[in-house]
């Protein structure tokens, strides 16, 4: 334990260790209990359960009749099959939990002398209060004799805790937004794949139907295939455009999250408050960004291009040799009826 604590007291080691203790889902330090996947990556059990529930909506609880479900590691994308216990059947990583406890104990120790920021105007005075009017940390001498003597001030620690809580809430808001964006991107990618698959299925069905007809329908077949391809191109281009827009927004939000996390690593109240307000305002403004477009439900369907040719097939099968002389009068009337039925059928094909 003393050896581990010695390592943790090193600043660079602390920074490196904290990065290893960040959950890839919530982007915060692991919250116990921590579970370890078969691929050896760690997750908060709550975060892992949220991902598992989203991927397996019919799995309700450990007492569910559903036998299990699939789980994809967010770090390496390795997919594993979980039993009926879900993520509760995964082994806890007690070593990581112990390291987290030691890390938090080391971080709770007060700063050493000389690490506290000093006032620029009064070099011998430590920054120990916060000017609420000017929204900057300052020292007691500035309040008594200096530029902030007529300003409203507050204890540094109370403002420090308040703004750190506010920044933490902003980070949570960004992370939640990023999760929603990632979900939308996945749905858009699935919709794009479904559109392509449905388009191919519609083409194959159309080809199968037209191949059974005479050469007279070949021109119409090509025309309908071209329309499906055009619709497919329009839809996939629109969806791909949305994907690019969401990815750009996700990238911007991720950069803000990284900046905010780095700010959260600052343990000094005064140093933190130097940039906290501006960072919070930046995050709030980014969160107010314009809303991106979405696709309507069923947008990927290509059902409108499904064509039934059964009636045309029956009309073709009804064709036969010319009748005998004594039957001409009977078949002449029947052929006229067939021709009258065929005319609206051709008109119906043309309207497609």
């Amino acid at each position: 334990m003393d050896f581990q604590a010695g390592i943790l007291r090193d600043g660079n080691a602390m920074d490196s260790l904290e990065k290893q203790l960040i959950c890839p889902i919530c982007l915060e330090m692991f919250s116990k209990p921590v579970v370890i996947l078969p691929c050896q990556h760690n997750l908060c059990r709550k975060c892992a359960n949220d991902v598992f529930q989203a991927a397996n909506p019919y799995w309700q609880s450990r007492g569910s009749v559903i036998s299990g479900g699939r789980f994809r590691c967010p770090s390496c994308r390795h997919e594993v099959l979980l039993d009926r216990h879900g993520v509760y059947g995964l082994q806890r990583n007690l070593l990581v939990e112990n390291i987290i406890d030691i890390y938090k104990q080391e971080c709770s120790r007060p700063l050493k002398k000389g690490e506290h920021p000093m006032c620029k105007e009064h070099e011998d005075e430590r920054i120990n209060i916060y000017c609420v009017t000017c929204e900057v940390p300052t020292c007691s001498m500035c309040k008594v004799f200096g530029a902030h003597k007529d300003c409203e001030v507050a204890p540094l620690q109370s403002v420090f805790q308040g703004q750190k809580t506010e920044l933490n809430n902003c980070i949570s808001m960004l992370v939640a937004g990023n999760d929603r964006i990632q979900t939308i991107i996945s749905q858009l990618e699935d919709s794009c794949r479904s559109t392509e698959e449905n388009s191919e299925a519609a083409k194959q069905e159309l080809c199968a139907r037209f191949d059974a007809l005479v050469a007279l329908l070949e021109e119409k077949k090509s025309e309908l295939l071209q329309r499906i391809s055009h619709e497919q191109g329009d839809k996939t281009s629109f969806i791909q455009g949305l994907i690019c827009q969401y990815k750009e927004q996700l990238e911007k939000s991720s950069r803000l999250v990284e900046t905010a996390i780095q700010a959260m690593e600052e343990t000094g109240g005064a140093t933190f408050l130097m940039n906290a307000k501006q960072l919070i305002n930046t995050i709030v403004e980014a969160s107010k960004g314009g809303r991106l477009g979405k696709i309507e439900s069923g947008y990927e369907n290509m059902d409108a291009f499904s064509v039934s040719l059964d009636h045309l097939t029956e009309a073709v099968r009804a064709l036969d040799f010319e009748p005998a002389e004594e039957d001409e009068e009977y078949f002449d009337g029947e052929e006229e009826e067939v021709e009258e039925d065929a005319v609206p059928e051709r008109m119906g094909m043309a309207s497609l």
Side-chain angles (χ1 to χ4, degrees), residues 129-138 142-143 146-154 159 163 273-274 277-278 281:
I129 58 175
Y130 184 83
C131 179
V132 179
T133 305
C134 302
E135 297 185 336
V136 293
T138 184
C142 288
K143 169 60 180 173
H148 302 283
K149 62 181 180 180
D150 297 324
C151 298
E152 179 184 355
V153 297
V159 180
Q163 290 198 11
L273 293 173
M274 293 290 186
K277 192 63 180 181
Q278 181 180 357
N281 292 336

Side-chain angles (χ1 to χ4, degrees), residues 3 9 22 34 43 68 98 146 149 151 169 226-227 237 244 253-254 262-263 288-290 300 318 323 347:
F3 173 72
R9 279 192 287 270
I22 297 298
V34 179
L43 298 172
N98 291 336
K149 62 181 180 180
C151 298
N169 292 336
Q226 185 177 4
R227 289 178 58 186
S237 297
C244 291
S253 297
S254 297
Q262 291 176 359
K288 296 178 181 178
E300 65 274 15
M347 293 178 63

Side-chain angles (χ1 to χ4, degrees), residues 96-120:
V96 171
E97 293 182 8
N98 291 336
I99 293 175
I100 291 174
D101 292 337
I102 298 173
Y103 175 84
K104 290 182 177 180
Q105 291 175 5
E106 291 298 318
C107 289
S108 63
R109 294 187 180 184
L111 290 174
K112 297 179 180 179
K113 185 177 181 181
E115 294 180 353
H116 198 286
M118 308 300 289
C119 179
K120 293 182 179 179

